[in-house]
Structure formats: C-alpha cells, structure tokens
Amino acid sequence: MATSHSSPPVPRPSDGSDAVFRKERDSASRQYKLARSLPDVCPMEPTELRGLCEGPSVVADQHRWTVYNSKVNLPAALNDPRLAKRESDFFTKSWGLDFVETEVLPSIYLPNITEEHFTAYLQEMTQREKTHESCKKIYPSKDEVTPGSSLTTNHDKSRAELEQVPKIFMRPDFALDDSATFNAVLPWTHFSVTGGKANRDIASSRLLQEKLSHYLDVVEVSIAHQISLRSEAFFHAMSSQHELQDRLCETAWAVAVLRERTAAMERVMVEGPLQALRLGLARNNCAKLHSKLKLMAAVHQTQPTVQLLLSTSEFVGALELITTTQEVLQQELQGVHSFRHLGSQLCEMEKLIDKMMIADFTTYARSDLGRPLEEDIQVLERDRLQSLVFGLLRQRKLDFLDIYDEEMIQAAKGIVKQCVVNMVSHIEEIDTEVVVKLADQMRLMTFPQWFDLLKSVFSSFILFLKRIKATLSVIRNVVLEVMDGNQRIRLAEAAAAAVGVGRASPEAPPSRDSELAYLTHEGMFISDAFSEPDQQLGGATPGPDSASGTTESSSSREQATPPLVRASGAVVNEDMMPTDLELGRVANNIQELLCTASDASHDRCVKFLMARAKDGSLERLSSSEFVCLSQEVENFVRETEQLCQRRSMSLRGALQSQANRFVHRFHEERKTKLSLLLDNERWKQAEVPTEFQDLVDSIADGRITLPEKKPAGPEERKPSEYLCVDGQKYAVVGTVLLLIRIFLEYCQCVNDIPSITTDMLTRLTDLLKHFNSRTCQLVLGAGALQVVGLKTITTKNLALASRCLQLVLHYIPIIRAHFETKLQPKQYNILRHFDHITKDYSDHIAEILAKLVAIMDSLFEKALSKYEVKAPMPSGCFRTLCKQLGKMHEAISDLLPEEQTQMLFLRINASFKLHLKRQLARLNVSNDGGPQHGLVMVDIAFYTGNVQALKSLEKLDLNLAEIWEQKR
C-alpha cells in the first residue's frame, strides 16, 4: 500500500460544476502547481477549455466581424473607368493622385492618452500585485519545480495508482443492489464450484479479493493524503465545535428566562386588555346588527312611499327611491331572505312608472298643443314638464320626442280646420249644412274673405310655432342641465380619485355612502343606519333625539347635493343615465323637431293654397291681389325661418308654381290684348293723354314703377300731340302707349314678386318680339290693308311705325338695367335676349327707312327715264319730282326728328343723282357749256331750290356736280 505522502493529488476541475466539494489546500500542498493533464477519452470526464491564445473560430465567430472579414474588391479598383491611364500603384489608382503625399490628420474621436489615464488603474492593481508577489513566494512557479523532485514523483505515482481503480467505483450512481453493477464488480464465474474447475475458481476468487483490497488501499491512501493536506482545517473545526456547544448552552438558558418573563407579561398586561377588546368588538357587532335592522325597517317602507310619490306624480323621486333601494338590497342587504322578492317587485314598479311617465307626457303634449291659440305663449306647467323630461331621460326613454312629434302634427291639422270653421261661421252666404267639405267652403269665399282667412291661418301657425319653440326650449334646457351635471360629476370623481391616491393608506377604513335618497315620507334616511353606529363608537351616548338629529343633518346634506349625486360623487344608477353622446343626439333632435313643426305648418298651408287653387281661383287674381298674396306668404315664410333658423321651400315652391301660372295667364292676357290692338291699329298719330306723359316722366326719374292714379283736379290737362321722352318728341300710335304701360306692369310684378324675375323676363322679351314682328307684318308687309282695311301704306304710316319702334328701342336698355338688379350674377346670361331684341328693332327701323328711300327711288327711275332736255324750263319732269319730294317731306317732317329727316333726304338725293346721271349719259348731255348743259342746269337749280326750301333742309349739301361724267 502506498503511503499518504506519495499519493497523487486530486486534480481540481476547471469549473465548479463537476466537483463534488472544494476545500482550500493546506500550506504544504500550496508549494506545488499541478501540471495540466491530457484530456481523457472517457466521455464521463470533462474536457479542458480552449486556450485564450488560439485563433478565431469559424463556428463561434461566424456572426461577429473580425479582421479576417476585411477585404478589397480588386477588380473594381483596378478597372476604374474614371481615369484615362492605368497607374501601377493600387492606392493611387483607387484614392487619387495625392494619396501618398496626403498627411493623415489625427482623429477627433480618439483622445490623447497620457499617464494620468492609468493612475486609477495602477492604484487598483498595486494591492493585487502585492498579493500576487506574496503568492509567488509561497507557490513556486512551474519552472522552479524540478522534474526529478520527490513531491512530483509521489504525486504522479499516486495519480497513476488512483487511475488503476476502475471507473465504475467512481460513478455517483454506484450501488451494489443493482444487478448489473453487482455482476460487473463480482462476476459469478469466480464463485462457481461445479465441475473440474473448482481449484481455478477458488484462485480467481482470491485474486479478485486481493484486487479489491488493493483498490481499497489505494483509495484509503488517497483519502489519507487529502486529509493530511486539510488536517489544520479539521482540527480548527473541532475546536470551534466545543466553543459553539458552550454558546448554545448560554442561549438555551437565555431563552428559558425570556419565556418565563413573557408568560408573566401575558398574565399581567395582556389578558385584561384583550378581554376589553373582545367586549368592544362584540359591542361593535351589536351596533352593526342594530343598524342593519334599522336599514331593513327603512327598506320595508319603500313600496308605500313609492305609491305615495306616484299619487302626487313625483316620478323622479319614486325612481330615485327605487334605485337607491335596489342598491341597498344588492350591497348592504344582500342575501336577506325576507327581501328575496322585493327586487323583482321594484323592477315591476319601475316598468309601471315608465308607462305612467309616457302616458303623462302624451297627455301633457296633447293638452299643451291643443289649447286655444292666444297671444300667451307661456309654457304650460313648466315644473311638471321638467320633471317628466328628467324622469324620461333618467330611464333612457329617449323616444318621447316622437310622441311630441305625432301630437304636433295632429295639432297642426286641427289649426287649419278651426280657422276655417271660425271664418265660415261669420259668413252668412255659406250654408254649412249644404256645403260640408272645408275645401268647398273655402272656394265659395270671395278673395278678400279668403285672404283674411289666410292671414288668420298664418298668424295661428306663428303662435303655434312660438309655443312649440318655448316648450322645446324647456326640454332642451333640461337636457343641457343633465349634460352639465354629468360633466361636473366626472370632474368631481377625477378630483376625488387624485386625492384618494395621495391619501390612501392600508389602515384607512373603506368609505361608505353617507348620503342616500330618503326611503320613507316620515324623513328617515338610510344614512341614519351608518351615522348612528359611528357616533356611538366615537363616544357619544345615544339618546332619544339622536335619530331626529341625524335626519336633520342628512336632510340638509341632501338639499345641498344634486339629485343624482351621492356622497362619493358617483351617479346613482349611472348605467341607466344616457351618455353625453345620446344627450347630444336628443338636443339635436329637439332642433330638428322645431324644423319639423315648421315644415308641417308649411305643408298644411300648401294644402290650404291648393284647395283654393283647385278651380283656378288663384290664376284669375288680378296683379295687385296676387302681389298681396305673394307678400303675405313671403312674410310668413320669413318669420318661420327666423324661428327655426332653416329655410323651408315647400310653401315657396307652391307659391312659385302658382306664380308661374299667374305669369302665364298675365302674359297671355297682355299678349292677346296687344295683338287685338295691333290688329285694330290704323297707324295714325294719336294724342298722348296726360297720364301716359306722367307715366313716362316717372320712368325718367330712374325708377320703373307704376305711379298711383292721381285724383282728377278741377282743371284737367289737355292731351298733347307728342310724347316727350328725355327732351325728344315722339309721334306715336295708341298701341305703343298701351305697350309702355304693359311692360311697366311686367317690371312692377318683378318688384313685387322677385321669385318670378326670370320667367317674367322671358315673357316680356317674347312680348316685345311679338310687337316687332307683328308691326313688320302689318306695315312693311302691308298686312294692315287686309286686317284694318287701309287703302295703301303711306310714307306717313311707315314713318310713324319707325318712330314707334324707336320709342320702344329707347326703353329696352332701361328695362334691361331694371331686370339686371333683380337677377343673381349667375343668371346674367339670360339678359342676352335684350341684345337680340335690340338688333331686331334696329334692323326693322333700317328696313322702314330703306322702304321710304325705295319708294322715291322707283319714282325717280320712272320719271327720269322720260326726261328730255328741251324748253320750256323748268321741265315738267322736275316739277313732278319736286312736288313728290314736297309731299314726302310734308308726311315725315312732323314725325321724324330733323337729323333723321336730313339723313333720309341725303339718301333720296343720292338716288336722284344716280338716276339723273344715267339719263344724262343716255342723252349724251355733258357739262360742256352748250345749250343742253344750260337747260339741265336750269332744272337742277329748280330742284335745288325746292329741296332747300323745305323745313330743316336749308343747309343740306346736295352736291349735284356728281351727275356729270368725268372726262377722260
């Protein structure tokens, strides 16, 4: 057996995961540093770690950048197309010609390292260096230990002997009760005594025994060696064990003394106060039981109190009471057997209250909307309405506005009927027993009677809408008040939550609701059940008046608290209350309901108008009557729009439809009248009555309106011969005077009824076109010969027609400007019709003047074709021509202004010169000063003298030198 000093030391593993125990080596073993052993091929032993100086691992470092990842794309660098020539230097090629000469500047990101940066490190490492030096003295380095030393030899020998022990004995799960392990350690072949191999088996068994004994000796030697290395620590532990035993004895004695003193303290100081606490807890429990019984008594009075509140229509108070009682049943009295049916009974009562509120609101709406329409528009029973609306909102019955809508429509229907009945009762001509239908009764009325009825209907609807607006304002205020209350509650909850977070502590008692709605009409509050035990626990002795005092305090707090707010700031039954979004929708529906009322009123008025217009009564109205009707409707629509803040087009549309029919009839009447006047017109100058002159003068003031008829004075003015317009005199026929009044009536209708401007404009342009075309047919087309029976169309007729057309043409720009003020800018394109009319009238006037010239031209051609240059002078041809020119001048001089007369005679003179020139050329008469030339000059002088002797033609330049051919 090897000695303990020669046993090899146990190798210390590189990490502590595989070592069974770790103990410090003794001073003797610290002198040697164990050599690193080769890795064992046995998988049970751990292999050594990889050295720190080895190169990078492809597996371990594949995802980490190292210097081996540094590389340059040489083909890309060498094939740079930016340089014309290929340099041999790679860096010059890649980074420019100045790469070699460029000085590398110090990096701004790298600090300048000095000796001061290592001061802290050196101070920290100084102590470690001293420790390291002292360890080097104790443990020699590997180089100092000689290979042939005895310690190393003994260590290697011990290690070699220990390695001879089979690994199976070193396994942590070694157990002989395992059959496989037992067979491996002690094979049965060594114990078999059968056959001829008994002696050999006995020898093998002895050999196995000696081998196991040898293994035991080796292990014991190794253990003894390890124990010898740790003997100092072992003896130190033994000495510490004796000291620890002494201290344990002292501790046991101290614990016994402490227990004796604790028992004495328990007898003297604990048992008495603990009994007092038990009695206090029992008293507190009794107080809680008493308060619970009081609460149960209060809850028991819920149903009678609810019935009492319902008898006085206090729906909100009844609902608050039911909600509070349900909360108490779910929280404070949950599981009480006697109240097991009270919750369902309260739910049924709540449903009954919902039905009662809806029925009451329906009754209120019917009575409010059905009361007589008077000047009083005050809200009927404001408090009752507010209570009903608040209760309906609380129960989320948000469709109560539909009930009001239905009642409102029924009331609107009854308004028209009542107004008709009231009006018919005052008219004796209408027998209500014979004429039963209201529409037939209205059609039997005269227009003044019907118009008074219409104004009565309009005034009734205005009062009706004002009353509805006042009622809806009260409902809207209640909705907004609930929204504001919800907002304040949320702010209070947020503030309370912030304060609660700041002041919360584990010892703080849970908060309770101290303010709840009352349960009985006698004044008891649920808060009494909470406040009384608190007062008793606080040291107050309950007296006979304690309950009443609590009730008064609770009542005062209840009055200061909003009806839906508890002491903690939470909304009572907040799941039932509508959200702000729903309340906002209700508020919007209230505004829409007012607009619906306005629309319903307009619809009833439309039916009222249609009933009257069914037989065409409205179409047969005069202009003034229809204007009054239009103004009254417009005033009513304007007032309803101011009430509802929204435009309504139904009544305007009905009026527009009637206005279109009125315009059509208005236009057809005047067009027919104008056609009849034109068909009977003899185209003679008519006298101008003073009323038409006043009418024209009113237009000259800048406004196109029909002046009021002045009462006949004592001396009536005589009619004038001409119509004076802007300083010019117009000779006109009677039809044109009536035409002026007709288009002024069109303009007046536009002033009174602006909605028919576009329709009236197109009708007026049609009327002006009709006048122009019909005038052309009668005068230029000679239609008056057959229609009126004229013998011929004279020059006077033509000049008079031209002057009438000029008068109408003068007023077309004025009419256009008037209509332009009534149109929207986007409707200005319709004014182009006036431009077309202006062109048609100008062309017609030019055609009339051309017709006058053509008459004289044919006369010149016929007369001058027979002209001969011979005595006596002046010739008969020139005498005839001058006579005809005088008649022409006499016919038109009083009708046309001087400028037009001079222009007309210049054109006639040009025609005369043309025909005379042709005749002289045919007669071969030239201005040679011969006898014929002299005779012609005598005729020309006679012609010139006669023409210039006419009125306003004295200075007319006839220029008769052009009649002679120019000599070539």
Side-chain angles (χ1 to χ4, degrees), residues 17 140 168 181 203 210 213 251 333-334 374 387 439 442 445 460 549 603 608 636 642 665 749 876 886 889 963:
S17 60
I168 191 173
T181 305
E210 291 178 359
S213 300
T251 303
L333 301 179
Q334 187 177 9
E374 299 174 355
S387 177
M442 286 189 295
M445 297 179 185
S460 298
D603 293 340
F608 181 82
F636 172 72
Q642 291 176 356
R665 184 192 57 81
C749 283
H889 182 270
I963 62 174

PDB file of all heavy atoms in Angstrom, residues 17 140 168 181 203 210 213 251 333-334 374 387 439 442 445 460 549 603 608 636 642 665 749 876 886 889 963:
ATOM      1  N   SER A  17     -18.678  23.047 -11.680  1.00  0.00           N
ATOM      2  CA  SER A  17     -19.901  22.296 -11.926  1.00  0.00           C
ATOM      3  C   SER A  17     -19.715  20.811 -11.734  1.00  0.00           C
ATOM      4  O   SER A  17     -20.633  20.116 -11.341  1.00  0.00           O
ATOM      5  CB  SER A  17     -20.397  22.577 -13.359  1.00  0.00           C
ATOM      6  OG  SER A  17     -19.408  22.187 -14.282  1.00  0.00           O
ATOM      7  N   PRO A 140       5.808  28.077  -5.709  1.00  0.00           N
ATOM      8  CA  PRO A 140       6.815  28.284  -6.769  1.00  0.00           C
ATOM      9  C   PRO A 140       6.184  28.070  -8.127  1.00  0.00           C
ATOM     10  O   PRO A 140       5.182  27.371  -8.292  1.00  0.00           O
ATOM     11  CB  PRO A 140       7.864  27.209  -6.451  1.00  0.00           C
ATOM     12  CG  PRO A 140       7.106  26.156  -5.738  1.00  0.00           C
ATOM     13  CD  PRO A 140       6.045  26.849  -4.930  1.00  0.00           C
ATOM     14  N   ILE A 168     -15.954   2.400 -12.612  1.00  0.00           N
ATOM     15  CA  ILE A 168     -17.291   2.069 -12.113  1.00  0.00           C
ATOM     16  C   ILE A 168     -17.446   2.397 -10.640  1.00  0.00           C
ATOM     17  O   ILE A 168     -18.518   2.736 -10.162  1.00  0.00           O
ATOM     18  CB  ILE A 168     -17.587   0.579 -12.381  1.00  0.00           C
ATOM     19  CG1 ILE A 168     -19.087   0.332 -12.095  1.00  0.00           C
ATOM     20  CG2 ILE A 168     -16.681  -0.323 -11.558  1.00  0.00           C
ATOM     21  CD1 ILE A 168     -19.497  -1.077 -12.493  1.00  0.00           C
ATOM     22  N   THR A 181     -24.646  -3.694 -11.866  1.00  0.00           N
ATOM     23  CA  THR A 181     -23.423  -3.231 -11.185  1.00  0.00           C
ATOM     24  C   THR A 181     -22.799  -4.379 -10.379  1.00  0.00           C
ATOM     25  O   THR A 181     -21.568  -4.566 -10.355  1.00  0.00           O
ATOM     26  CB  THR A 181     -23.769  -2.060 -10.267  1.00  0.00           C
ATOM     27  OG1 THR A 181     -24.422  -1.045 -11.021  1.00  0.00           O
ATOM     28  CG2 THR A 181     -22.523  -1.482  -9.647  1.00  0.00           C
ATOM     29  N   ALA A 203      -8.959 -19.852  -6.862  1.00  0.00           N
ATOM     30  CA  ALA A 203      -7.814 -18.955  -7.065  1.00  0.00           C
ATOM     31  C   ALA A 203      -8.262 -17.627  -7.647  1.00  0.00           C
ATOM     32  O   ALA A 203      -7.784 -16.554  -7.253  1.00  0.00           O
ATOM     33  CB  ALA A 203      -6.792 -19.654  -7.978  1.00  0.00           C
ATOM     34  N   GLU A 210      -8.024  -9.905  -3.520  1.00  0.00           N
ATOM     35  CA  GLU A 210      -6.804  -9.110  -3.346  1.00  0.00           C
ATOM     36  C   GLU A 210      -6.868  -7.835  -4.187  1.00  0.00           C
ATOM     37  O   GLU A 210      -6.399  -6.774  -3.765  1.00  0.00           O
ATOM     38  CB  GLU A 210      -5.584  -9.974  -3.740  1.00  0.00           C
ATOM     39  CG  GLU A 210      -5.313 -11.121  -2.781  1.00  0.00           C
ATOM     40  CD  GLU A 210      -4.130 -11.975  -3.229  1.00  0.00           C
ATOM     41  OE1 GLU A 210      -3.575 -11.635  -4.301  1.00  0.00           O
ATOM     42  OE2 GLU A 210      -3.785 -12.903  -2.505  1.00  0.00           O
ATOM     43  N   SER A 213      -9.049  -5.435  -2.439  1.00  0.00           N
ATOM     44  CA  SER A 213      -8.340  -4.909  -1.271  1.00  0.00           C
ATOM     45  C   SER A 213      -7.317  -3.869  -1.702  1.00  0.00           C
ATOM     46  O   SER A 213      -7.129  -2.842  -1.036  1.00  0.00           O
ATOM     47  CB  SER A 213      -7.654  -6.059  -0.503  1.00  0.00           C
ATOM     48  OG  SER A 213      -8.630  -6.993  -0.076  1.00  0.00           O
ATOM     49  N   THR A 251     -27.363  30.223  25.229  1.00  0.00           N
ATOM     50  CA  THR A 251     -28.566  30.659  24.502  1.00  0.00           C
ATOM     51  C   THR A 251     -29.812  29.958  25.046  1.00  0.00           C
ATOM     52  O   THR A 251     -30.875  30.569  25.209  1.00  0.00           O
ATOM     53  CB  THR A 251     -28.401  30.368  23.005  1.00  0.00           C
ATOM     54  OG1 THR A 251     -27.232  31.001  22.523  1.00  0.00           O
ATOM     55  CG2 THR A 251     -29.612  30.872  22.224  1.00  0.00           C
ATOM     56  N   LEU A 333     -77.889  44.691   2.059  1.00  0.00           N
ATOM     57  CA  LEU A 333     -78.839  43.656   2.482  1.00  0.00           C
ATOM     58  C   LEU A 333     -78.836  42.463   1.541  1.00  0.00           C
ATOM     59  O   LEU A 333     -79.857  41.800   1.359  1.00  0.00           O
ATOM     60  CB  LEU A 333     -80.258  44.252   2.561  1.00  0.00           C
ATOM     61  CG  LEU A 333     -80.439  45.436   3.516  1.00  0.00           C
ATOM     62  CD1 LEU A 333     -81.866  45.929   3.478  1.00  0.00           C
ATOM     63  CD2 LEU A 333     -80.035  45.053   4.936  1.00  0.00           C
ATOM     64  N   GLN A 334     -77.704  42.223   0.936  1.00  0.00           N
ATOM     65  CA  GLN A 334     -77.637  41.089   0.010  1.00  0.00           C
ATOM     66  C   GLN A 334     -77.746  39.760   0.787  1.00  0.00           C
ATOM     67  O   GLN A 334     -77.070  39.547   1.778  1.00  0.00           O
ATOM     68  CB  GLN A 334     -76.322  41.133  -0.780  1.00  0.00           C
ATOM     69  CG  GLN A 334     -76.231  40.083  -1.878  1.00  0.00           C
ATOM     70  CD  GLN A 334     -74.946  40.232  -2.667  1.00  0.00           C
ATOM     71  OE1 GLN A 334     -74.079  41.007  -2.289  1.00  0.00           O
ATOM     72  NE2 GLN A 334     -74.832  39.509  -3.750  1.00  0.00           N
ATOM     73  N   GLU A 374    -103.750  81.749 -28.407  1.00  0.00           N
ATOM     74  CA  GLU A 374    -103.911  83.129 -27.984  1.00  0.00           C
ATOM     75  C   GLU A 374    -102.542  83.792 -28.000  1.00  0.00           C
ATOM     76  O   GLU A 374    -101.536  83.192 -28.392  1.00  0.00           O
ATOM     77  CB  GLU A 374    -104.531  83.180 -26.580  1.00  0.00           C
ATOM     78  CG  GLU A 374    -105.922  82.541 -26.513  1.00  0.00           C
ATOM     79  CD  GLU A 374    -106.434  82.471 -25.082  1.00  0.00           C
ATOM     80  OE1 GLU A 374    -105.649  82.837 -24.175  1.00  0.00           O
ATOM     81  OE2 GLU A 374    -107.582  82.053 -24.895  1.00  0.00           O
ATOM     82  N   SER A 387     -90.025  67.845 -14.764  1.00  0.00           N
ATOM     83  CA  SER A 387     -89.979  66.585 -14.028  1.00  0.00           C
ATOM     84  C   SER A 387     -90.167  65.394 -14.965  1.00  0.00           C
ATOM     85  O   SER A 387     -89.456  64.390 -14.863  1.00  0.00           O
ATOM     86  CB  SER A 387     -91.054  66.600 -12.945  1.00  0.00           C
ATOM     87  OG  SER A 387     -91.087  65.362 -12.257  1.00  0.00           O
ATOM     88  N   ALA A 439    -112.904  72.414 -48.051  1.00  0.00           N
ATOM     89  CA  ALA A 439    -112.344  72.938 -49.298  1.00  0.00           C
ATOM     90  C   ALA A 439    -113.423  73.622 -50.125  1.00  0.00           C
ATOM     91  O   ALA A 439    -113.200  74.692 -50.709  1.00  0.00           O
ATOM     92  CB  ALA A 439    -111.700  71.803 -50.090  1.00  0.00           C
ATOM     93  N   MET A 442    -114.171  76.982 -48.612  1.00  0.00           N
ATOM     94  CA  MET A 442    -113.164  77.998 -48.925  1.00  0.00           C
ATOM     95  C   MET A 442    -113.314  78.517 -50.348  1.00  0.00           C
ATOM     96  O   MET A 442    -113.108  79.702 -50.620  1.00  0.00           O
ATOM     97  CB  MET A 442    -111.758  77.409 -48.720  1.00  0.00           C
ATOM     98  CG  MET A 442    -111.351  77.249 -47.273  1.00  0.00           C
ATOM     99  SD  MET A 442    -109.621  76.808 -47.092  1.00  0.00           S
ATOM    100  CE  MET A 442    -109.601  75.183 -47.843  1.00  0.00           C
ATOM    101  N   MET A 445    -115.788  81.394 -50.861  1.00  0.00           N
ATOM    102  CA  MET A 445    -115.458  82.715 -50.321  1.00  0.00           C
ATOM    103  C   MET A 445    -114.969  83.635 -51.427  1.00  0.00           C
ATOM    104  O   MET A 445    -114.391  83.202 -52.424  1.00  0.00           O
ATOM    105  CB  MET A 445    -114.365  82.600 -49.251  1.00  0.00           C
ATOM    106  CG  MET A 445    -114.748  81.807 -48.028  1.00  0.00           C
ATOM    107  SD  MET A 445    -113.349  81.716 -46.865  1.00  0.00           S
ATOM    108  CE  MET A 445    -114.021  80.629 -45.636  1.00  0.00           C
ATOM    109  N   SER A 460    -102.040  82.075 -36.804  1.00  0.00           N
ATOM    110  CA  SER A 460    -102.214  80.945 -35.881  1.00  0.00           C
ATOM    111  C   SER A 460    -100.999  80.035 -35.890  1.00  0.00           C
ATOM    112  O   SER A 460    -100.535  79.567 -34.841  1.00  0.00           O
ATOM    113  CB  SER A 460    -103.466  80.158 -36.268  1.00  0.00           C
ATOM    114  OG  SER A 460    -104.627  80.960 -36.167  1.00  0.00           O
ATOM    115  N   GLY A 549     -81.868  64.113  15.084  1.00  0.00           N
ATOM    116  CA  GLY A 549     -80.722  64.959  14.750  1.00  0.00           C
ATOM    117  C   GLY A 549     -80.008  64.475  13.519  1.00  0.00           C
ATOM    118  O   GLY A 549     -79.609  65.252  12.663  1.00  0.00           O
ATOM    119  N   ASP A 603     -96.596  72.634 -44.859  1.00  0.00           N
ATOM    120  CA  ASP A 603     -97.354  71.644 -45.639  1.00  0.00           C
ATOM    121  C   ASP A 603     -98.856  71.883 -45.512  1.00  0.00           C
ATOM    122  O   ASP A 603     -99.598  71.782 -46.510  1.00  0.00           O
ATOM    123  CB  ASP A 603     -97.011  70.233 -45.158  1.00  0.00           C
ATOM    124  CG  ASP A 603     -95.575  69.861 -45.477  1.00  0.00           C
ATOM    125  OD1 ASP A 603     -94.981  70.504 -46.369  1.00  0.00           O
ATOM    126  OD2 ASP A 603     -95.034  68.939 -44.839  1.00  0.00           O
ATOM    127  N   PHE A 608    -103.744  74.208 -47.959  1.00  0.00           N
ATOM    128  CA  PHE A 608    -104.737  75.277 -47.916  1.00  0.00           C
ATOM    129  C   PHE A 608    -104.749  76.059 -49.219  1.00  0.00           C
ATOM    130  O   PHE A 608    -105.825  76.377 -49.762  1.00  0.00           O
ATOM    131  CB  PHE A 608    -104.424  76.189 -46.722  1.00  0.00           C
ATOM    132  CG  PHE A 608    -105.388  77.324 -46.539  1.00  0.00           C
ATOM    133  CD1 PHE A 608    -106.597  77.127 -45.891  1.00  0.00           C
ATOM    134  CD2 PHE A 608    -105.090  78.596 -47.007  1.00  0.00           C
ATOM    135  CE1 PHE A 608    -107.491  78.175 -45.729  1.00  0.00           C
ATOM    136  CE2 PHE A 608    -105.977  79.638 -46.843  1.00  0.00           C
ATOM    137  CZ  PHE A 608    -107.180  79.427 -46.202  1.00  0.00           C
ATOM    138  N   PHE A 636     -94.796  85.288 -43.999  1.00  0.00           N
ATOM    139  CA  PHE A 636     -94.969  84.114 -43.139  1.00  0.00           C
ATOM    140  C   PHE A 636     -93.744  83.200 -43.203  1.00  0.00           C
ATOM    141  O   PHE A 636     -93.249  82.721 -42.166  1.00  0.00           O
ATOM    142  CB  PHE A 636     -96.220  83.352 -43.581  1.00  0.00           C
ATOM    143  CG  PHE A 636     -96.394  82.020 -42.897  1.00  0.00           C
ATOM    144  CD1 PHE A 636     -96.760  81.947 -41.563  1.00  0.00           C
ATOM    145  CD2 PHE A 636     -96.172  80.831 -43.590  1.00  0.00           C
ATOM    146  CE1 PHE A 636     -96.925  80.719 -40.940  1.00  0.00           C
ATOM    147  CE2 PHE A 636     -96.331  79.606 -42.969  1.00  0.00           C
ATOM    148  CZ  PHE A 636     -96.707  79.558 -41.639  1.00  0.00           C
ATOM    149  N   GLN A 642     -86.999  82.657 -39.283  1.00  0.00           N
ATOM    150  CA  GLN A 642     -86.355  83.278 -38.122  1.00  0.00           C
ATOM    151  C   GLN A 642     -86.561  82.456 -36.860  1.00  0.00           C
ATOM    152  O   GLN A 642     -85.678  82.384 -35.997  1.00  0.00           O
ATOM    153  CB  GLN A 642     -86.910  84.694 -37.923  1.00  0.00           C
ATOM    154  CG  GLN A 642     -86.507  85.682 -39.009  1.00  0.00           C
ATOM    155  CD  GLN A 642     -87.148  87.042 -38.817  1.00  0.00           C
ATOM    156  OE1 GLN A 642     -87.961  87.230 -37.906  1.00  0.00           O
ATOM    157  NE2 GLN A 642     -86.798  87.992 -39.674  1.00  0.00           N
ATOM    158  N   ARG A 665    -100.805  83.308 -67.299  1.00  0.00           N
ATOM    159  CA  ARG A 665    -102.066  83.980 -67.588  1.00  0.00           C
ATOM    160  C   ARG A 665    -101.870  85.473 -67.789  1.00  0.00           C
ATOM    161  O   ARG A 665    -102.457  86.081 -68.707  1.00  0.00           O
ATOM    162  CB  ARG A 665    -103.042  83.755 -66.433  1.00  0.00           C
ATOM    163  CG  ARG A 665    -104.434  84.345 -66.673  1.00  0.00           C
ATOM    164  CD  ARG A 665    -105.242  84.358 -65.400  1.00  0.00           C
ATOM    165  NE  ARG A 665    -104.568  85.099 -64.348  1.00  0.00           N
ATOM    166  CZ  ARG A 665    -104.595  86.428 -64.258  1.00  0.00           C
ATOM    167  NH1 ARG A 665    -105.225  87.154 -65.149  1.00  0.00           N
ATOM    168  NH2 ARG A 665    -103.971  87.021 -63.259  1.00  0.00           N
ATOM    169  N   CYS A 749     -94.477  93.853 -61.498  1.00  0.00           N
ATOM    170  CA  CYS A 749     -94.638  92.496 -60.954  1.00  0.00           C
ATOM    171  C   CYS A 749     -93.312  91.932 -60.460  1.00  0.00           C
ATOM    172  O   CYS A 749     -93.258  91.235 -59.449  1.00  0.00           O
ATOM    173  CB  CYS A 749     -95.231  91.577 -62.020  1.00  0.00           C
ATOM    174  SG  CYS A 749     -97.003  91.818 -62.259  1.00  0.00           S
ATOM    175  N   GLY A 876     -91.309 119.605-117.004  1.00  0.00           N
ATOM    176  CA  GLY A 876     -92.411 119.020-116.258  1.00  0.00           C
ATOM    177  C   GLY A 876     -91.973 117.869-115.378  1.00  0.00           C
ATOM    178  O   GLY A 876     -92.541 117.615-114.310  1.00  0.00           O
ATOM    179  N   GLY A 886     -91.865 117.292-102.001  1.00  0.00           N
ATOM    180  CA  GLY A 886     -92.553 118.124-101.025  1.00  0.00           C
ATOM    181  C   GLY A 886     -93.586 117.330-100.243  1.00  0.00           C
ATOM    182  O   GLY A 886     -93.730 117.513 -99.013  1.00  0.00           O
ATOM    183  N   HIS A 889     -91.724 115.179 -97.739  1.00  0.00           N
ATOM    184  CA  HIS A 889     -91.258 115.965 -96.604  1.00  0.00           C
ATOM    185  C   HIS A 889     -92.423 116.346 -95.708  1.00  0.00           C
ATOM    186  O   HIS A 889     -92.316 116.326 -94.466  1.00  0.00           O
ATOM    187  CB  HIS A 889     -90.525 117.209 -97.111  1.00  0.00           C
ATOM    188  CG  HIS A 889     -89.982 118.046 -96.002  1.00  0.00           C
ATOM    189  ND1 HIS A 889     -90.705 119.075 -95.407  1.00  0.00           N
ATOM    190  CD2 HIS A 889     -88.770 118.014 -95.341  1.00  0.00           C
ATOM    191  CE1 HIS A 889     -89.976 119.634 -94.458  1.00  0.00           C
ATOM    192  NE2 HIS A 889     -88.789 119.014 -94.403  1.00  0.00           N
ATOM    193  N   ILE A 963     -73.421 114.459-111.008  1.00  0.00           N
ATOM    194  CA  ILE A 963     -74.265 113.881-112.057  1.00  0.00           C
ATOM    195  C   ILE A 963     -73.548 113.865-113.399  1.00  0.00           C
ATOM    196  O   ILE A 963     -73.995 113.206-114.346  1.00  0.00           O
ATOM    197  CB  ILE A 963     -75.580 114.665-112.198  1.00  0.00           C
ATOM    198  CG1 ILE A 963     -75.296 116.115-112.616  1.00  0.00           C
ATOM    199  CG2 ILE A 963     -76.374 114.610-110.898  1.00  0.00           C
ATOM    200  CD1 ILE A 963     -76.551 116.916-112.915  1.00  0.00           C
TER     201      ILE A 963
END
